[in-house]
Amino acid sequence: MVDGAVGAVGSEPESSDSLRTFGAVVQALREHAGLNREEFADLVRFSKHTVASVELGRRMPDPAFVDRAEEALGNTGALRKAAGHLARQPGLAAWFRQWARMEEVAIALCTYECRMIPGLLQTEAYARQLFADELPPLKDEQIEAQWVARADRQQLLTDRPNTAFSFIIEEQLFLRQTGGTAVTQKLIDHVLEISELRNVEIQIMPLVQKSHAGLHGPMQLLETPDTRWFAYTEAPESGQLLSDPKIVSVLQKRYARMRSQALTFGDSVSLLQRTRGAL
């Protein structure tokens, strides 16, 4: 899922037999060595979420991951040989594969969301509640894979400190208390923490708003290193990459208007703090 919409096509590659087999071998060797995921993650110098994603067959392992895993697990050569046969199963629509690639090198990412907290800002408990509410119901392993994929994507915020991230979020999403009071409290704490990053700006669209330029629904905008702009819109079980400059220009104007209609960054932080205190 691109930015938090449960049921949409995922930002992780669709799994393949080779990815799942490689992941199972990594897990088996790790467990044979008596290492849990966190301990193994320290040895290979990747996050435990990345380790889990590889073991679940949801992520193509980085060459550095393969080399370090070999060293940590006995230098048998099995992982290096197996890595040469890995392939992703074609499953992501062409428009999404292109968006995912652009997202990784973007110099600006803008997100407006009115349905749920954007995926980049979600806590694990909040995300798992969304997954639990999905219909048809997801299996436990599907929920785990969904969270691992989302946690991996959230690293964009810290891995790309020179990328400007802008979020406009509806106040109602916090008032709904998805997952309950405790989940919402931790969610607000998490959003406030992220808002302290220099490359992140979060604005809240107040519950009462006479004029609102975002009534057409959620959207994302992206600027590439060559200063071209693209947009992405999402609907149930589908999404659309938009590259027509005229259409993207309209969405840019809507986003710019929403930024002027939403609370300022400082007022947004104050509102979240008051909301947190009232829970």
Side-chain angles (χ1 to χ4, degrees):
M1 54 205 72
V2 170
D3 200 18
V6 177
V9 176
S11 60
E12 286 292 305
E14 185 176 337
S15 188
S16 65
D17 289 341
S18 62
L19 280 172
R20 286 190 292 268
T21 300
F22 181 86
V25 171
V26 172
Q27 182 175 353
L29 290 174
R30 171 180 63 76
E31 292 175 347
H32 181 72
L35 300 169
N36 60 36
R37 279 180 177 165
E38 190 169 356
E39 292 168 336
F40 181 61
D42 289 339
L43 291 175
V44 297
R45 302 196 297 280
F46 281 85
S47 73
K48 64 179 180 180
H49 298 302
T50 298
V51 171
S53 187
V54 171
E55 291 185 350
L56 290 167
R58 298 286 298 178
R59 182 186 180 104
M60 182 73 75
D62 186 280
F65 179 95
V66 176
D67 288 339
R68 294 169 191 169
E70 276 284 6
E71 294 174 6
L73 299 175
N75 277 315
T76 64
L79 295 182
R80 288 192 181 93
K81 290 180 180 179
H85 300 283
L86 290 176
R88 291 174 175 171
Q89 180 174 322
L92 291 179
W95 50 261
F96 184 79
R97 289 199 300 269
Q98 185 178 358
W99 176 266
R101 288 195 299 269
M102 292 189 298
E103 188 179 56
E104 293 178 351
V105 298
I107 60 175
L109 281 167
C110 303
T111 300
Y112 165 64
E113 186 55 80
C114 57
R115 306 161 303 170
M116 62 195 73
I117 302 301
L120 286 175
L121 304 180
Q122 293 174 8
T123 61
E124 180 173 355
Y126 180 90
R128 287 184 181 277
Q129 181 63 53
L130 298 182
F131 302 146
D133 290 337
E134 177 68 359
L135 292 173
L138 300 176
K139 299 178 181 178
D140 288 345
E141 56 266 30
Q142 290 176 308
I143 290 177
E144 181 65 23
Q146 293 268 28
W147 165 244
V148 168
R150 183 151 304 172
D152 282 347
R153 183 173 178 269
Q154 289 177 349
Q155 294 180 35
L156 282 173
L157 295 172
T158 52
D159 289 350
R160 298 196 56 77
N162 298 121
T163 297
F165 294 89
S166 169
F167 299 92
I168 300 175
I169 311 169
E170 293 287 340
E171 179 184 358
Q172 66 187 25
L173 301 182
F174 297 97
L175 299 178
R176 184 179 298 149
Q177 297 191 39
T178 298
T181 301
V183 170
T184 303
Q185 289 173 332
K186 292 182 180 179
L187 173 68
I188 294 176
D189 289 341
H190 180 66
V191 171
L192 287 171
E193 182 179 353
I194 291 177
S195 72
E196 296 177 0
L197 296 174
R198 288 193 300 273
N199 61 327
V200 175
E201 183 175 41
I202 298 173
Q203 292 180 260
I204 303 300
M205 184 67 75
L207 187 63
V208 178
Q209 182 66 33
K210 180 179 178 180
S211 179
H212 194 327
L215 298 182
H216 289 271
M219 65 174 176
Q220 295 186 74
L221 294 164
L222 175 153
E223 184 181 10
T224 63
D226 59 357
T227 68
R228 294 183 62 197
W229 282 88
F230 296 83
Y232 175 78
T233 59
E234 200 166 62
E237 308 299 337
S238 65
Q240 185 177 19
L241 173 66
L242 302 168
S243 59
D244 186 322
K246 293 182 179 179
I247 297 176
V248 174
S249 177
V250 170
L251 296 181
Q252 285 179 295
K253 290 180 175 65
R254 289 180 185 167
Y255 195 85
R257 177 67 60 84
M258 280 191 287
R259 293 190 76 168
S260 69
Q261 294 169 335
L263 299 178
T264 65
F265 173 73
D267 287 344
S268 296
V269 169
S270 295
L271 175 62
L272 288 176
Q273 290 172 336
R274 292 195 304 272
T275 302
R276 172 67 169 83
L279 291 174

